[in-house]
Amino acid sequence: MRPVTAALWVAAMLMGLKLSGSYPDSIVDRSSKNLSFVPRDLPQTAESVDLSCNRIQKLHRGDFKNTSLLRFLNISWNSLDDIDPGTFLDTPLLEDLDLSHNRLRNLSAQRYLLHTENLLVLNLACNRFLTMTLGKEFSSLVKLERLALGAQNISAGDFKNIAEVKLRTLTLSLENELSYTAGSLKDVHAQRLQIASTSDQIMDHYVVDDALSLFDEVELMDLTGGYNALSEQLTKRVEILTSHLYLTNISIDWKDLTQYVNVVLLTSITHLSASDVAIYNLPYMDTKVTKTSEMKSFEARRAVVKSFFFSQEAVYNFFINMPVKSLAIIETSIIHMTCPKSQSPIVLLDFSYCALSDSIFSRVEGQQTVECENLENVRKLTLVGNNLKKLLMLSKRVQHMKSLQHLDLSLNSLVYDGVGECVWPPNITNMTLSSNGLTDSIFKCLPRGTETLDLQNNQVSVIPSSIFKLGNLSSLNLNANRLRDLPVCNGFPILTELLLKSNSLHAPSVNKLESCLKLKTLDISYNPFTCTCALSSFISLGIKSEKKKSQTEIELLSWPLDYYCTYPESVRDTTLKDISIPEVSCNVFLLAAAILCPAVVMIVAVVTLCHRLDVPWYMGMIWQWTRAKHRARMSHVRPEDLVGVEFHAFVSFSQHDADWVKNYLLPNLEGYTGGLRICHHEKNFVPGKTIIENIIGCVEKSRRSVFVLSAHFVKSEWCHYELYFASHQRLAWGSDSVVLVLLEPLPQYLIPSKYYQLKSMMGRHTYLEWPQDRAKHRLFWANLRAALQTDLPNAPVVEQEE
């Protein structure tokens, strides 16, 4: 399928999908079914029908009599040579018709179009039309927006019957041995003209000449050669109406590309765009670029190189030194971008979805890194979807962009550890850092003049109270982070919009909003709300927001539909607005009165009964007996029982918590520090064995199993298997063979039902919680080592580190 046909196909499908969906059978796909006629069983609810790639030769009246709702019809790549004039009498809603790649022969006799007055898209390209003369029936297509045609002969007056039709796009599919009369396109009124080459021949001179003099937007497609002629043609033209020139799906040598770009730079064309470009014979040395131009923007999208040996720096230098206001290189695998050789006029710079690294714009001279100082005019820099990793380094790369106001670094792998001072340029007001790996320390590395800050989809758990003041910040987006409570606004005195959707807020502390004096908009939807007394003040805030009592009230976005309980189980998925929390359960005095009085009576009755029946004595005996039996069982571990045990513990953890295990757990348990032998999958799983066999082997060779619990743990299937086998091993070793380490709070209601063994263990056994206070870490490790310590047979001696 050629790109021109593919483009129209995609546009048509999008339109079809948008318009359909009312009925389950609204989209019908009968393509590539070897059909020789239109099926009779098309559903009456069909809005989109695909009959492409079949053997249909003729369309008859009544073929679509049962599809009165039809809006999109694709009969391309068939053998159509005749269409009955009444074929579309029963489809008054038809908006998109694709008849490309068939055997239709006469554009003057397409009488079926008289019944398609609602058509928006019509594709008749790649048929067998000898002349482009459009019949009178085309004049009835007053709503037509996209038209694709192709013929061997194009003459003056061929398009007179669509002179009154205001097209958005006209696509001409140039046939082999095209005969074109100059001025033939003067009757066409279209915003964009697409010229698609169907062969390797040079594009017709007169077609291009008319295109440049009659249309505001011109797109040249599927070119493989003839660029010298196009460049020469542009050079000779005095007046050019075209302002936007597009090159799509082309193959070109570097010399031809740069020559053509330099020629365009000298014309009145203001926008040049190239997409899906294959570039050959790239340079070893710099290529000269025109120094002054009226062109405003240049964009390259999905460009690929077909040379193995060339100078990347020479390629980058050509583009970065172009005299344009806007430069965009998108979805192209460039790994670096150089600095302009002189002060650049570029205002908008976009390198989205490339492969750029932290060295962007800089160069190394000896042992020194030289930063770029020739991009002072850049106001907006977009580096979305690259390989950027260190935010501190990025601040140095852009520090001399004195005019920079908008910076978009989303969809990278950026981190900042709080070490080192960021050196941003002074005028940044809009900062987008979404979808990175940034934590709480990011608030120490922000431009002080920031007005809009987007940090959604990062790892921020709290906004530190000791951050410097962002006095101009008005909008803060922290959606999809790890916040557990509302932040205070001491560092953001004029904050008006705060977005906290999809965090970990259980019971937001509404009193913290008292510090947000200017706050007007708040979004806390899709959080795991715990519907208890602590949430009552927040529910009151939502109800006030809904009523909008005054202009000073905070608007709570998406209230009440996207605010619902996750705990307790009895009210799960109930909206907060519909929750009723009794006053007696939240008022301390009422609750005390309601509980203490019956409790006192009950206690007196129980004490009296226990005293008469001597229950304390029996309970004490049972407790002592249980403890004695427990100690006896724990102390009788014979050496032969430990045969085959090689490790003190097997560690099970989610891959998301691997950094904590590697950086904290293993260094404090193994080696000279801990003296324990620890088994974990990255070191001890045997290649060649299945994962299940490795899990079973590691559990059997370990005296105990340590489970690092987190929200990620309970989402991992492999962690579930490891817990399952360890629980069975627990029957042989006893309850102390499983040690639980809680890396972060993990309420019971967040644990899936399949982890019932984990719920049971957490309910009956004490587990170790990882303390956030560094002063408590030493005691934590001491307790964990004590819980794991045991004498293993033939345990190797751990050598001391020097």
Side-chain angles (χ1 to χ4, degrees):
M1 185 179 294
R2 300 194 60 79
V4 56
T5 308
L8 290 168
W9 168 260
V10 171
M13 282 302 298
L14 289 175
M15 183 181 299
L17 289 174
K18 182 185 295 185
L19 296 173
S20 63
S22 303
Y23 304 96
D25 297 328
S26 60
I27 300 178
V28 180
D29 185 0
R30 301 288 177 87
S31 61
S32 302
K33 301 293 185 182
N34 201 31
L35 301 174
S36 57
F37 56 86
V38 176
R40 306 301 182 194
D41 60 345
L42 295 177
Q44 295 182 356
T45 57
E47 297 182 33
S48 172
V49 175
D50 185 358
L51 299 174
S52 61
C53 302
N54 283 291
R55 298 185 297 108
I56 301 174
Q57 295 183 356
K58 186 175 181 179
L59 295 182
H60 305 84
R61 180 171 182 172
D63 279 348
F64 302 100
K65 64 180 179 181
N66 295 324
T67 57
S68 59
L69 299 178
L70 188 65
R71 294 175 182 268
F72 169 77
L73 177 61
N74 181 8
I75 318 183
S76 62
W77 295 96
N78 276 270
S79 302
L80 278 177
D81 53 20
D82 185 27
I83 302 178
D84 189 281
T87 296
F88 301 111
L89 273 172
D90 303 309
T91 58
L93 303 179
L94 187 64
E95 296 180 352
D96 193 301
L97 178 61
D98 189 346
L99 297 171
S100 63
H101 297 276
N102 280 287
R103 300 176 182 176
L104 301 175
R105 294 182 178 276
N106 190 355
L107 274 171
S108 300
Q110 307 295 312
R111 289 181 297 165
Y112 57 87
L113 294 177
L114 292 172
H115 306 293
T116 60
E117 60 273 8
N118 286 316
L119 269 186
L120 301 177
V121 179
L122 175 61
N123 188 356
L124 290 167
C126 300
N127 277 276
R128 297 182 178 180
F129 302 126
L130 293 178
T131 64
M132 190 65 82
T133 306
L134 303 184
K136 293 183 179 180
E137 54 270 15
F138 280 87
S139 62
S140 64
L141 306 179
V142 293
K143 296 182 180 180
L144 196 64
E145 297 179 357
R146 297 174 180 270
L147 175 62
L149 299 166
Q152 292 185 6
N153 298 281
I154 304 177
S155 305
D158 281 351
F159 296 97
K160 64 181 181 180
N161 285 319
I162 61 168
E164 303 300 322
V165 179
K166 306 299 181 183
L167 295 172
R168 182 183 303 172
T169 303
L170 172 64
T171 303
L172 292 182
S173 179
L174 301 188
E175 306 293 338
N176 295 331
E177 301 179 1
L178 173 70
S179 173
Y180 179 84
T181 303
S184 298
L185 292 171
K186 66 179 182 179
D187 292 324
V188 177
H189 294 87
Q191 180 179 343
R192 175 182 293 197
L193 175 65
Q194 293 179 330
I195 305 175
S197 176
T198 59
S199 65
D200 295 335
Q201 66 182 8
I202 297 175
M203 191 166 286
D204 188 276
H205 174 87
Y206 296 108
V207 175
V208 176
D209 206 50
D210 279 357
L212 295 175
S213 60
L214 296 173
F215 299 93
D216 182 57
E217 299 180 14
V218 175
E219 183 173 358
L220 306 180
M221 307 169 67
D222 309 326
L223 296 177
T224 58
Y227 298 106
N228 287 332
L230 290 173
S231 298
E232 184 178 352
Q233 187 174 2
L234 276 175
T235 303
K236 292 180 178 179
R237 287 198 61 85
V238 178
E239 293 185 3
I240 296 177
L241 177 65
T242 300
S243 63
H244 291 68
L245 180 59
Y246 302 89
L247 302 175
T248 302
N249 193 40
I250 67 171
S251 298
I252 188 169
D253 284 346
W254 174 258
K255 181 180 178 181
D256 292 335
L257 174 63
T258 53
Q259 179 186 359
Y260 191 75
V261 170
N262 279 324
V263 169
V264 174
L265 286 170
L266 295 174
T267 67
S268 61
I269 295 173
T270 56
H271 303 277
L272 176 61
S273 176
S275 59
D276 300 298
V277 181
I279 308 175
Y280 295 83
N281 300 319
L282 281 89
Y284 291 93
M285 300 178 63
D286 283 354
T287 306
K288 291 184 179 180
V289 60
T290 302
K291 293 184 178 180
T292 58
S293 174
E294 295 182 13
M295 186 187 292
K296 295 180 180 179
S297 70
F298 174 82
E299 177 182 317
R301 187 183 294 269
R302 293 184 298 278
V304 295
V305 298
K306 298 296 185 177
S307 300
F308 289 102
F309 303 103
F310 63 96
S311 170
Q312 294 188 34
E313 185 175 347
V315 175
Y316 302 149
N317 283 338
F318 179 83
F319 293 111
I320 198 65
N321 285 289
M322 291 180 66
V324 293
K325 297 291 185 182
S326 174
L327 174 64
I329 300 178
I330 303 169
E331 298 179 61
T332 303
S333 298
I334 57 174
I335 61 175
H336 183 63
M337 181 50 64
T338 55
C339 180
K341 295 181 178 180
S342 59
Q343 199 58 243
S344 173
I346 295 175
V347 175
L348 304 177
L349 202 52
D350 188 350
F351 296 126
S352 297
Y353 304 103
C354 295
L356 295 169
S357 66
D358 294 340
S359 64
I360 184 173
F361 303 131
S362 66
R363 70 180 188 276
V364 177
E365 293 184 358
Q367 301 295 326
Q368 298 290 328
T369 299
V370 180
E371 305 296 349
C372 182
E373 299 182 8
N374 292 331
L375 289 170
E376 291 185 357
N377 293 312
V378 174
R379 295 180 186 173
K380 183 175 182 180
L381 176 60
T382 304
L383 298 173
V384 175
N386 282 278
N387 291 330
L388 307 177
K389 296 181 179 180
K390 296 183 179 180
L391 190 62
L392 178 63
M393 299 299 292
L394 261 295
S395 71
K396 295 179 180 178
R397 299 292 96 93
V398 302
Q399 61 179 309
H400 298 296
M401 297 183 184
K402 298 179 180 179
S403 302
L404 187 62
Q405 297 177 356
H406 303 266
L407 179 59
D408 191 344
L409 300 174
S410 55
L411 286 170
N412 280 281
S413 302
L414 290 171
V415 295
Y416 175 66
D417 57 8
V419 178
E421 183 177 355
C422 298
V423 284
W424 299 106
N427 295 316
I428 295 180
T429 57
N430 295 77
M431 193 84 164
T432 303
L433 295 167
S434 60
S435 300
N436 281 284
L438 299 169
T439 59
D440 309 346
S441 58
I442 178 58
F443 290 96
K444 298 179 181 179
C445 182
L446 293 173
R448 302 208 174 195
T450 303
E451 297 177 3
T452 302
L453 179 59
D454 187 349
L455 283 170
Q456 65 176 319
N457 196 24
N458 278 280
Q459 300 177 29
V460 179
S461 59
V462 66
I463 298 180
S465 57
S466 60
I467 64 171
F468 57 78
K469 195 172 186 179
L470 296 175
N472 297 327
L473 188 66
S474 60
S475 176
L476 177 57
N477 187 343
L478 285 167
N479 291 339
N481 275 273
R482 300 180 178 182
L483 290 168
R484 298 179 183 176
D485 202 354
L486 295 175
V488 294
C489 298
N490 295 336
F492 325 120
I494 65 168
L495 188 69
T496 58
E497 182 182 56
L498 180 59
L499 307 178
L500 302 172
K501 180 166 60 176
S502 300
N503 275 271
S504 299
L505 282 74
H506 298 282
S509 302
V510 177
N511 60 320
K512 291 187 176 181
L513 296 178
E514 296 175 358
S515 62
C516 306
L517 301 178
K518 303 290 184 179
L519 190 63
K520 298 294 183 183
T521 304
L522 178 64
D523 188 355
I524 320 182
S525 58
Y526 294 106
N527 274 277
F529 295 108
T530 302
C531 293
T532 58
C533 290
L535 197 64
S536 57
S537 57
F538 177 73
I539 295 176
S540 300
L541 174 67
I543 295 174
K544 289 180 181 178
S545 171
E546 186 178 15
K547 293 180 179 179
K548 296 181 180 179
K549 291 184 176 180
S550 68
Q551 296 297 324
T552 59
E553 293 289 345
I554 296 175
E555 178 187 3
L556 202 58
L557 298 182
S558 303
W559 175 273
L561 296 180
D562 297 334
Y563 295 76
Y564 44 83
C565 300
T566 57
Y567 185 82
E569 288 290 338
S570 58
V571 293
R572 179 184 284 270
D573 297 331
T574 304
T575 59
L576 302 191
K577 180 183 177 182
D578 298 328
I579 289 296
S580 177
I581 303 178
E583 180 68 21
V584 66
S585 63
C586 300
N587 188 303
V588 176
F589 298 103
L590 290 178
L591 187 62
I595 294 177
L596 289 179
C597 292
V600 169
V601 175
M602 181 65 69
I603 290 172
V604 171
V606 170
V607 169
T608 303
L609 185 61
C610 288
H611 179 71
R612 290 196 174 188
L613 299 177
D614 213 1
V615 171
W617 184 85
Y618 286 105
M619 293 298 295
M621 290 299 99
I622 294 173
W623 172 246
Q624 294 296 333
W625 178 83
T626 303
R627 290 189 61 188
K629 295 290 288 182
H630 180 72
R631 284 196 298 268
R633 184 181 62 181
M634 294 299 295
S635 61
H636 290 302
V637 178
R638 298 172 299 178
E640 54 266 34
D641 293 336
L642 296 174
V643 173
V645 176
E646 301 176 9
F647 303 95
H648 289 88
F650 165 66
V651 179
S652 172
F653 59 93
S654 167
Q655 194 61 34
H656 290 278
D657 303 321
D659 288 342
W660 183 85
V661 173
K662 293 176 183 177
N663 298 331
Y664 292 91
L665 182 70
L666 296 180
N668 283 279
L669 296 183
E670 292 182 322
Y672 177 72
T673 303
L676 300 176
R677 300 188 66 199
I678 302 301
C679 175
H680 58 96
H681 69 271
E682 291 188 4
K683 183 175 72 174
N684 300 103
F685 273 21
V686 179
K689 288 187 176 183
T690 64
I691 296 179
I692 297 296
E693 290 175 337
N694 274 306
I695 292 174
I696 295 174
C698 285
V699 170
E700 290 179 347
K701 294 178 183 179
S702 303
R703 175 64 180 85
R704 293 180 174 84
S705 296
V706 178
F707 292 91
V708 180
L709 304 181
S710 67
H712 298 297
F713 181 95
V714 297
K715 296 177 183 178
S716 170
E717 287 296 329
W718 295 118
C719 290
H720 182 214
Y721 286 127
E722 291 167 351
L723 180 66
Y724 175 82
F725 293 120
S727 64
H728 281 271
Q729 189 73 2
R730 179 167 160 263
L731 298 175
W733 287 112
S735 60
D736 71 327
S737 65
V738 174
V739 178
L740 305 180
V741 175
L742 198 59
L743 192 57
E744 60 184 22
L746 189 64
Q748 289 275 336
Y749 61 88
L750 290 182
I751 301 176
S753 59
K754 67 180 180 180
Y755 278 90
Y756 64 92
Q757 294 168 322
L758 178 59
K759 288 185 177 182
S760 176
M761 291 180 190
M762 293 182 69
R764 294 201 303 265
H765 300 287
T766 303
Y767 47 82
L768 295 174
E769 292 187 49
W770 171 246
Q772 298 299 321
D773 188 356
R774 295 179 62 90
K776 298 178 180 179
H777 287 183
R778 180 175 296 180
L779 182 58
F780 172 86
W781 296 122
N783 285 335
L784 183 55
R785 284 193 290 267
L788 301 179
Q789 188 63 52
T790 189
D791 294 326
L792 297 182
N794 302 320
V797 179
V798 178
E799 297 182 358
Q800 296 185 2
E801 299 177 357
E802 295 184 359

